[in-house]
Amino acid sequence: MPPASAHRSIDPDLVFVPPNLPEDIAAGAVLPIDKPANSTSFDIVREVRSLADLKKVGHAGTLDPLATGLLIVLVARPATRLQDAFMYLRKTYTGTMRLGETTPSHDSETAVTESVDTSHLSEAEIRDALEAFVGEIEQVPPMYSAVKIGGEKLYKKARRGEQVERPPRPVTIYDACITDIRGSEVDFKIDCSKGTYVRSLARDVGAELGVGAHLTALRRTAIGDYRVEDAWSLDQLRDAFGM
């Protein structure tokens, strides 16, 4: 059940897209930003804090370092009070999974530990395997994630080589489709709920097909009605702040 804060209305006058920044950003602003690869979501928050010279800056939904795309950054009140309102909107992603290769993190951040042949798989089988996960499902979060078990984030345990039982979590895949298949490389698009790990979805599709899989690319293209096409690049944002 979403908290009451998830139902707060989002004032469109608080949302600023290129090339316009508010005259007084300390009065609150929502900045949709196109996060580049190889940066953390908190890296982006840290940069906005520096640009705006404000401490009260957060974001509404983490992207993994290797992922790109739409990150909603919330600057000062009342924008920061809208975190849950944004987080509970449905998310749209495009990405690529590689069938036949398994990694501990379920993406390319860790090395491949198992490889199997995938030449026997048909396109129909691959499409059916992804579509089988559409609906309300139970998903086990990756060991390489920020989920806390026993008061410690899982990725810290994973880096020590530990494996712990992770209770499955309910998530919803509203829609999922394959957009291209190039041998073992499979491009896809999904719409999903808060809390969905696309890495875990790739893992589970690979398991469904009996060959394993991991995510090699991921881009968040939309959060609700907000689109990455309307988002700030970091260079645009720096220019707007005169940096």
Side-chain angles (χ1 to χ4, degrees), residues 172-235:
T172 302
I173 308 296
Y174 300 106
D175 192 24
C177 66
I178 303 295
T179 57
D180 194 23
I181 299 175
R182 305 175 308 284
S184 62
E185 301 288 319
V186 178
D187 296 339
F188 61 88
K189 178 181 178 182
I190 69 164
D191 292 327
C192 59
S193 68
K194 173 186 179 296
T196 303
Y197 280 95
V198 185
R199 288 182 285 138
S200 291
L201 181 63
R203 171 201 65 198
D204 294 342
V205 169
E208 179 80 5
L209 290 166
V211 297
H214 73 280
L215 196 66
T216 59
L218 185 66
R219 181 164 177 79
R220 186 156 64 196
T221 60
I223 297 174
D225 292 331
Y226 303 91
R227 300 288 182 264
V228 72
E229 292 86 357
D230 301 320
W232 296 87
S233 70
L234 287 183
D235 285 341

Side-chain angles (χ1 to χ4, degrees), residues 30-76:
V30 174
L31 302 178
I33 295 176
D34 186 353
K35 186 190 88 65
N38 301 314
S39 61
T40 69
S41 299
F42 188 69
D43 287 339
I44 308 303
V45 168
R46 186 185 295 112
E47 175 140 7
V48 174
R49 284 177 178 172
S50 176
L51 291 171
D53 195 23
L54 292 169
K55 290 184 178 180
K56 199 167 187 63
V57 178
H59 66 77
T62 301
L63 278 173
D64 287 340
L66 295 181
T68 68
L70 187 58
L71 183 73
I72 300 291
V73 175
L74 309 170
V75 183

Side-chain angles (χ1 to χ4, degrees), residues 151-172:
E152 185 179 36
K153 293 179 179 178
L154 282 174
Y155 69 79
K156 293 185 177 179
K157 297 178 185 291
R159 287 171 182 168
R160 294 196 299 267
E162 298 177 25
Q163 286 285 328
V164 298
E165 192 74 21
R166 289 105 66 203
R169 298 178 166 206
V171 299
T172 302

